[in-house]
Amino acid sequence: MGLLSRTLSLSQEKKVSEKTISFIQFTKKFNISLCALFSKIDNNYLITNSVGFDGISIISSISTNDFWDGTINNPNKWYSFTTNSEMVPFFQLFSFNQKDKIKGIYICRFEDKVFMVCSTESINFIPNDSIIKELSFINFDTKEDKKEISINLEKNENIYKFQIDVKNAIEFHVGKNLRKLEYKNIIQNSILNEIYLFLEKSFSYPNLISTNSFGIFNIAFVSESQLSEKLLQTHLIKELYSILDEESNLLILANLGKSNSYKDVMDFLQAK
């Protein structure tokens, strides 16, 4: 049996209705791997939730209500743009790197939001009405519902505690590229969400990840042997370059030691 065999309950303080789902659960349900949710703020739209978008695209997403009124007239229906001439008006919303990969753009406008899905050479998408019906059930204020996660350590395994700090990386990236500073906090949080998704995939079960402060991630890494801090930091900087460009070099990784104590791991994951 493992040294630890207890269930950790990592939950959001806010309870979510059983009828609603998080944005990430929604994208997983329909197997959508490249998309963005634009929310109306003042008289502009900008990305507040996304999957697979880089920092420059999120920053470039700030667009006027007039732009969307002129391109997407009717709500609750799909608009498909699959030729280069059709997609040109939307290219301003993407970074150069991301724009070059896009082969199709599919958009649905609902309430005060715009949902965009993109296809590439490797990512296919077929719009259907069931996706539109589900949009109204998304709770955009939470990443996930309550999670029940079990830690089971086999013989000779330990939990190695790492803390990843991308606060400065995000702030410098946004500060360098954003002109409309009134949207700084919203844009920073949107980029942070993308980084969270990347780290969640990188440190999947049985590893654990939590975040309780802006830009700070606590990682409980399960392994028989110590992971090289230098190699891990180099890997993370390289991978996060796709989101933060050269500002990924500002990532800070701290090795906080190992543990096989349930209480110690819980305190670490919940620490602010």
Side-chain angles (χ1 to χ4, degrees), residues 47-107:
I47 291 177
T48 51
N49 296 84
S50 63
V51 176
F53 274 59
D54 58 34
I56 295 298
S57 295
I58 292 173
I59 291 170
S60 301
S61 71
I62 300 174
S63 45
T64 66
N65 184 64
D66 289 341
F67 169 78
W68 292 106
D69 284 344
T71 53
I72 310 297
N73 298 319
N74 299 315
N76 302 314
K77 62 173 290 187
W78 285 110
Y79 286 79
S80 299
F81 307 91
T82 55
T83 67
N84 193 69
S85 60
E86 290 175 338
M87 293 188 291
V88 164
F90 302 99
F91 283 159
Q92 62 182 303
L93 306 175
F94 299 93
S95 67
F96 287 112
N97 290 336
Q98 197 134 41
K99 178 185 68 176
D100 290 342
K101 299 175 183 177
I102 293 173
K103 301 301 179 183
I105 299 174
Y106 308 88
I107 299 173

Side-chain angles (χ1 to χ4, degrees), residues 137-166:
F137 292 104
I138 301 175
N139 185 308
F140 296 102
D141 295 325
T142 182
K143 293 186 182 74
E144 294 287 351
D145 293 337
K146 184 177 180 180
K147 297 178 180 178
E148 298 289 343
I149 305 174
S150 295
I151 296 182
N152 291 289
L153 295 186
E154 302 298 335
K155 187 177 181 180
N156 299 324
E157 285 187 331
N158 284 292
I159 292 181
Y160 294 88
K161 299 178 294 182
F162 292 95
Q163 188 170 83
I164 299 170
D165 185 345
V166 293

